[in-house]
């Protein structure tokens, strides 16, 4: 057995199970003979027990659906809540109080991860419009479907795109009508559709876009989701609270017809 | 679902515990876990079969955490001062904690992120020094000194809290 001098470092190693087995007996003897070190070891052991007790409950919590979904999800481009990716802002917010002389830091925080991407903005505006107007019984649209020709020419002129309201009858949706909305620095057209059960979806089309992107965006578990496309010169989002597959099918049909209309 | 995904799912509770000890606020901690899982899925091919999924995932999450803490620090340009963590806590912890539990959680938040991660990795997550050093990407000696400093700092904060509490009672 090796005889050596022990030190405080060995307290940590013993506590963490890193002390070689053949040194254990000698270490215990050293600890017994050294009241101060023994007390220290006992305090560290108690702190560790308290730490484990404080966090062990997390293991028994049900795994949040949003986390298991990330792993199980089939679609790679599903975006979660806008607050996602900002976990460390909480750390930053805490750190701001911990850090002295933080003036320069405060100036920088606005840029930290808070930039909204073009597709986030499009999807968020489209969802916001849907939440407000799809719930309206009498004032959901400005121009009703009965005046479809006027609706199309009016929105086309305002938005600056040649808009043709897609025919979604094959997916079970009839046009209710449309309205003009602000979007970013410009304007957007919103077209509202309804199926025979009263379920509503909306199309949100804007001429403002420089980016190219597509994906799905849903902010909450049961809230409406948006399927969106951005291309040079236009952006489109289809919003609804449908099952993802059905929404995707509706969106695909709408997109094909919109694109054909734009290029006609 | 393939085996790799099943293995990752099984690690989520451990990842959440580690994230909670690093960040405390539940939503922020889960956001960190979500970032970690998303990155892991994108890099699924980098994961060698036979390598422990736990070590692989913890490494990814630790990098995410420490990168962001560094950014925060660079902007702050000053060392971390161990204020009483309850003052530094932006979001209140939602669960009901015992006073002792809250004190140690507060104290843990007040020590430097590097020391916090090292201590938690070994003391709560039960990794060996070699595993923890590997995950954190530091030499074993650095890991040991972080653990030792972390424990000392934590104990000093707890002693300080206890002293203040007794003064208040008097």
């Amino acid at each position: 057995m090796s005889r050596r001098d022990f030190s405080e470092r060995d307290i940590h190693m013993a506590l963490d199970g890193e002390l070689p087995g053949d040194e254990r007996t000698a270490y215990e003897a050293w600890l017994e003979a050294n009241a101060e070190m023994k007390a220290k070891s006992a305090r560290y052991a108690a702190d560790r027990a308290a730490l484990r007790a404080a966090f062990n409950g997390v293991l028994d919590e049900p795994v949040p659906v949003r986390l298991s979904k990330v792993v199980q999800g089939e679609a790679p481009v599903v975006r979660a809540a806008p607050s996602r990716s900002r976990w460390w802002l909480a750390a930053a917010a805490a750190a701001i109080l911990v850090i002295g002389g933080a003036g320069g830091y405060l100036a920088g925080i606005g840029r930290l991860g808070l930039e909204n991407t073009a597709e986030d903005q499009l999807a968020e505006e489209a969802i916001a419009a849907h939440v407000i107007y799809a719930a309206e019984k009498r004032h959901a649209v400005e121009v009703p479907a009965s005046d479809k020709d006027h609706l199309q020419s009016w929105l086309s002129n305002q938005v600056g795109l040649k808009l043709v309201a897609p025919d979604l009858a094959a997916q079970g949706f009839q046009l209710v009508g449309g309205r003009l909305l602000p979007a970013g620095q410009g304007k957007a057209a919103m077209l509202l559709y309804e199926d025979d059960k009263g379920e509503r979806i909306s199309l949100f089309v804007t001429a403002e876009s420089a980016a190219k992107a597509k994906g799905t965006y849903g902010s909450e578990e049961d809230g409406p989701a948006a399927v969106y496309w951005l291309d040079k010169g236009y952006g489109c989002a289809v919003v609804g609270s449908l099952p993802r597959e059905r929404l995707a099918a509706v969106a695909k049909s709408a997109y094909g017809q919109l694109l054909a209309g734009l290029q006609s | 679902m393939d085996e790799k995904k099943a293995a990752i799912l099984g690690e989520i509770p451990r990842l959440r515990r580690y994230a909670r000890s690093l960040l405390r606020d539940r939503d922020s901690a889960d956001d960190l876990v979500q970032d970690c899982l998303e990155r892991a899925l994108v890099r699924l091919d980098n994961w060698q079969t036979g390598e422990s999924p736990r070590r692989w995932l913890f490494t990814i999450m630790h990098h995410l955490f420490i990168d962001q803490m560094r950014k925060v620090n660079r902007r702050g340009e000053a060392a971390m001062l161990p204020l009483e963590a309850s003052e530094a806590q932006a979001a209140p912890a939602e669960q009901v904690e015992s006073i002792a539990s809250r004190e140690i959680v507060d104290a843990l938040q007040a020590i430097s992120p590097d020391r916090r991660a090292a201590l938690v990795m070994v003391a709560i997550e039960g990794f060996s020094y070699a595993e923890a050093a590997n995950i954190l990407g530091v030499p074993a000696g650095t890991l040991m000194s972080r653990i030792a400093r972390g424990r000392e700092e934590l104990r000093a904060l707890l002693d300080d809290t206890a002293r203040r509490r007794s003064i208040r009672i008097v």
Side-chain angles (χ1 to χ4, degrees):
Chain A
M1 195 175 79
S2 61
R3 285 222 69 83
R4 66 176 180 95
D5 289 333
F6 291 97
S7 70
E8 199 168 334
R9 176 189 159 99
D10 295 293
I11 295 178
H12 298 287
M13 292 185 70
L15 212 52
D16 298 325
E18 298 280 340
L19 203 65
D22 60 356
E23 292 183 1
R24 195 92 214 178
T25 318
Y27 167 77
E28 298 292 350
W30 171 78
L31 206 58
E32 280 307 317
N34 197 325
E36 192 195 336
M37 288 298 154
K38 194 181 177 188
K40 199 162 242 177
S41 164
R43 277 197 301 273
Y44 288 156
D47 289 347
R48 184 179 59 174
L51 272 179
R52 287 184 178 166
F55 290 101
N56 267 345
V58 178
L59 294 183
D60 299 326
E61 292 175 6
V63 170
V65 180
R66 66 168 165 133
L67 296 183
S68 46
K69 263 190 157 174
V70 171
V71 182
Q72 292 164 324
E74 305 298 314
V77 256
V78 172
R79 286 174 174 270
S83 67
R84 197 192 62 73
S85 289
R86 297 180 195 159
W87 53 265
W88 52 272
L89 270 183
I96 203 169
L97 292 162
V98 182
I99 292 165
Y105 170 73
L106 263 175
I109 195 165
R111 290 197 304 276
L112 277 178
L114 283 173
E115 79 277 8
N116 236 349
T117 58
E119 62 263 36
D120 279 354
Q121 194 187 339
L122 174 79
E124 280 170 10
E125 284 174 345
I127 289 175
H130 181 80
V131 167
I132 294 170
Y133 294 113
E136 278 285 331
K137 280 277 165 267
R138 294 179 56 194
H139 306 289
V141 296
E142 288 171 300
V143 179
S146 56
D147 208 356
K148 188 175 166 186
D149 288 344
H150 169 62
L151 173 69
Q152 290 181 156
S153 59
W154 171 57
L155 288 178
S156 295
N157 287 337
Q158 288 292 333
V159 176
L161 288 171
K162 188 163 183 309
L163 270 182
V164 175
D167 179 354
L168 300 176
Q171 281 74 37
F173 285 95
Q174 302 295 334
L175 182 66
V176 177
R179 60 167 58 243
L180 186 68
L181 293 169
Q185 304 296 312
K187 299 169 182 173
M190 178 186 175
L191 296 171
L192 191 71
Y193 290 78
E194 192 174 60
D195 71 4
D196 52 7
K197 295 190 196 75
E199 186 69 47
R200 285 174 164 183
I201 57 164
S202 54
L203 265 63
F204 189 89
V205 186
T206 161
E208 258 209 1
S209 165
K212 228 179 151 93
K214 65 175 179 179
T216 311
Y217 186 107
S219 57
E220 283 158 48
E221 198 58 24
D222 324 315
V227 179
Y228 61 83
W229 299 267
L230 286 175
D231 213 325
K232 247 191 160 58
Y234 71 94
C236 170
V238 179
V239 187
S241 301
L242 306 176
R244 283 276 157 92
E245 307 78 54
R246 190 166 174 223
L247 186 66
V250 172
K252 195 176 169 198
S253 171
Y255 179 61
Q257 294 181 55
L258 275 172
L259 203 60
L262 288 173
Q263 292 162 351
S264 66
Chain B
M1 187 175 37
D2 62 58
E3 268 174 57
K4 281 184 168 183
K5 285 188 175 177
I8 292 173
L9 271 182
E11 294 300 331
I12 292 180
R14 298 281 298 254
L15 290 169
R16 292 185 74 231
R17 179 172 66 177
Y18 180 49
R20 197 80 66 87
S21 65
L22 293 176
L23 288 167
R24 180 159 217 234
D25 172 66
R26 183 188 168 126
D27 288 339
S28 306
D30 281 343
D31 285 350
L32 173 58
V33 175
Q34 186 168 347
D35 281 358
C36 167
L37 293 172
E38 284 174 354
R39 184 172 286 199
L41 285 176
V42 172
R43 299 177 175 186
L44 216 50
D45 294 338
N46 291 3
W47 174 24
Q48 312 293 322
T49 34
E51 189 187 357
S52 143
R54 181 167 300 162
R55 218 167 59 198
W56 180 63
L57 290 165
F58 270 73
T59 305
I60 293 174
M61 193 155 84
H62 180 73
H63 283 151
L64 286 168
F65 171 69
I66 226 66
D67 282 355
Q68 298 299 353
M69 292 310 288
R70 294 224 171 96
K71 279 182 198 162
V72 170
N73 271 340
R74 258 202 306 276
R75 284 162 201 276
E77 291 173 355
M80 306 283 276
L81 305 172
L83 278 191
E84 190 173 17
S86 55
E87 299 165 39
Q89 187 56 48
E94 58 287 276
Q95 81 230 59
V96 182
E97 297 162 329
S98 70
I99 291 177
S101 169
R102 194 169 60 234
E103 277 176 6
I104 199 148
V105 171
D106 282 346
L108 186 66
Q109 292 302 306
I111 70 178
S112 84
D114 283 337
R115 291 176 186 172
R116 194 188 318 153
L119 183 58
V120 165
M121 202 66 94
V122 168
I124 300 179
E125 297 304 331
F127 287 107
S128 70
Y129 283 2
E131 286 171 325
N134 189 284
I135 290 169
L136 303 185
V138 297
T142 307
L143 178 87
M144 287 183 66
S145 81
R146 283 182 188 175
I147 292 171
R149 297 267 162 70
R151 276 208 178 100
E152 287 161 14
E153 214 183 328
L154 191 71
R155 177 89 314 259
L157 286 164
L158 290 167
D159 285 344
D160 200 37
T161 310
R163 194 160 48 239
R164 231 173 307 177
R165 197 172 51 235
S166 61
I167 290 168
R168 229 172 278 151
I169 292 167
V170 173

